[in-house]
């Protein structure tokens, strides 16, 4: 029997799911960030489509080329805490003091020639951290890479850059049929029956998150087997109870973030002030 790279050896040791497709989008992101005029790149698309994964890949490639990359994950846990999303990047005395944070960030940006700051789910960034984006964008060599469901949800000054046509927007659509086919083959470690590929295509509609959770759910439920060298699904793609709640939690968090961002955008537009950005102390970290 073929060994699936997806078969969990243990829950904590889940194998990787290789990045597939997205070559053109990745090139767009990298070219924009590397270019002399490049300042900000927004990666947009529906929840689960692969924005964070693409941004991770881009920062890893840049890190491998000698860039310094800093990853900021905005989210529900930190969105109501001033500087919550970047607290781990700041010296302790700067966390409660935006002024000190600004100085720290200015100094860090100034001494870091090739710096990319990635902000995942920028629409969930706390307002104080948002106020650091302007100075970061003003700092000549610094580059910003952000993800958001839609460009219109990016807070100013990023939103203003986008409206002025001065930020590159890379919009991710569904994975195409060939990418889904290839991904299934690579993840399962062998060929997949045509009807099985079609069933996963239909059920996921090329959404990477759904696809992954359905393949894992079907494996866990024992519905996906390798028979005579070919992977086949019995019945319909499964989401296990746990995986279903993970997907639902992620998707509802994303839709909640949209309405919250709608409410916040008008406030944020008028509250922009000067500031800076956190230390470039961390290098790119591993993908999920
Ligand atoms: N092109 C891809 N190839 C393989 N896996 C992918 C790809 N894009 C996304 N994934 C996987 O799909 C899941 C959802 O992707 P993610 O980047 O978190 O979506 P988003 O940030 O748009 O909500 C993750 O497990 C991710 O690793
Ligand atoms: Mg994401």
């Amino acid at each position: 029997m073929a060994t699936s790279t997806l078969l969990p050896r243990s829950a904590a040791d889940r194998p990787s799911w290789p990045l597939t497709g997205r070559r053109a989008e990745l090139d767009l992101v990298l070219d924009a960030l590397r270019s002399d005029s490049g300042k900000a790149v927004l990666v947009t698309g529906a929840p689960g489509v692969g924005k964070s994964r693409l941004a991770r890949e881009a920062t890893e490639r840049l890190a491998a080329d000698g860039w310094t990359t800093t990853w900021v994950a905005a989210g529900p846990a930190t969105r109501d805490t001033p500087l919550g999303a970047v607290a781990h990047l700041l010296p302790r005395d700067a966390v409660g003091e935006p002024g000190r944070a600004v100085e720290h960030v200015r100094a860090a940006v100034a001494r870091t020639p090739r710096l990319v700051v990635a902000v995942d789910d920028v629409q969930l960034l706390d307002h104080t951290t948002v106020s650091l984006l302007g100075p970061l964008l003003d700092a000549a060599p610094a580059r910003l890479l952000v993800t958001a469901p839609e460009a219109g949800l990016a807070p100013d000054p990023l939103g203003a850059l986008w409206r002025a046509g001065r930020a590159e927007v890379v919009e991710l659509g569904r994975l195409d049929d060939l990418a889904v086919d290839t991904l299934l083959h690579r993840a399962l470690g062998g060929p997949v029956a045509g009807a099985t590929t079609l069933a996963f295509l239909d059920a996921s509609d090329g959404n990477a998150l759904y696809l992954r959770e359905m393949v894992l759910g079907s494996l866990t439920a024992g519905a996906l087997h390798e028979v005579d060298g070919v992977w086949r699904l019995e019945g319909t793609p499964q989401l296990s109870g746990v995986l279903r709640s993970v997907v639902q939690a992620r998707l509802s968090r994303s839709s909640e973030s949209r309405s919250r961002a709608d409410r916040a955008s008008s406030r944020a537009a008028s509250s922009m002030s000067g500031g800076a950005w956190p230390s470039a102390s961390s290098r790119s970290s591993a993908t999920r």
Side-chain angles (χ1 to χ4, degrees):
M1 183 179 264
T3 309
S4 164
T5 56
L6 275 173
L7 287 171
R9 285 155 289 193
S10 77
D13 183 25
R14 188 173 280 182
S16 68
W17 174 254
L19 183 84
T20 306
R22 304 295 192 214
R23 191 172 292 176
E25 292 92 338
L26 186 58
D27 283 349
L28 274 176
V29 171
L30 291 172
D31 288 351
L33 290 172
R34 286 184 176 127
S35 82
D36 288 342
S37 58
K39 271 284 171 208
V41 178
L42 270 79
V43 178
T44 63
V49 79
K51 303 178 294 296
S52 305
R53 182 70 184 266
L54 187 77
R56 277 284 191 200
E57 189 74 21
T59 56
E60 286 184 356
R61 301 262 178 125
L62 292 168
D65 287 350
W67 289 67
T68 299
T69 64
T70 296
W71 184 267
V72 176
T78 57
R79 68 186 175 186
D80 295 323
T81 310
L83 298 176
V86 293
H88 62 294
L89 298 168
L90 296 170
R92 196 173 287 185
D93 65 350
V95 173
E97 279 234 27
R100 234 173 245 184
V102 166
E103 283 320 308
H104 173 78
V105 169
R106 279 214 167 104
V109 169
R111 66 171 179 260
T112 312
R114 292 201 296 165
L115 169 66
V116 174
V117 176
V119 184
D120 198 18
D121 284 326
V122 73
Q123 79 282 4
L124 295 177
L125 203 57
D126 65 271
H127 294 302
T128 315
T129 307
V130 167
S131 74
L132 304 182
L133 294 178
L136 179 80
L137 287 163
D138 291 343
R143 305 282 196 269
L144 195 57
L145 168 61
V146 308
T147 73
E150 293 162 24
L153 295 179
D156 280 344
L158 211 55
L161 268 192
W162 166 67
R163 288 190 296 277
R166 290 176 47 231
E168 182 79 36
V169 178
V170 177
E171 209 177 318
L172 294 189
R174 62 187 289 281
L175 290 173
D176 64 26
D177 295 5
L178 179 63
V180 170
D181 191 18
T182 307
L183 184 48
L184 286 172
H185 189 126
R186 292 172 74 189
L188 292 168
V192 181
T196 297
T197 301
L198 275 181
F200 281 114
L201 259 172
D202 274 0
S204 68
D205 194 27
N207 181 289
L209 176 65
Y210 272 127
L211 182 66
R212 178 183 156 91
E213 300 304 331
M214 283 174 186
V215 169
L216 286 168
S218 301
L219 284 168
T220 305
L224 187 55
H225 308 278
E226 187 258 327
V227 181
D228 298 332
V230 179
W231 284 90
R232 296 180 195 281
L233 179 71
E234 264 173 51
T236 52
Q238 307 277 316
L239 277 179
S240 74
V242 172
L243 296 174
R244 192 179 305 127
S245 60
V246 168
V247 172
Q248 278 165 355
R250 285 195 60 171
L251 295 179
S252 66
R253 209 159 57 221
S254 299
S255 58
E256 184 200 340
S257 74
R258 285 180 194 222
S259 51
R260 184 180 183 278
D262 284 342
R263 289 197 303 278
S265 61
S266 49
R267 281 204 305 276
S270 58
S271 68
M272 285 311 304
S273 61
W277 195 260
S279 152
S281 57
S282 61
R283 307 284 291 188
S284 165
S285 55
T287 37
R288 267 176 270 165

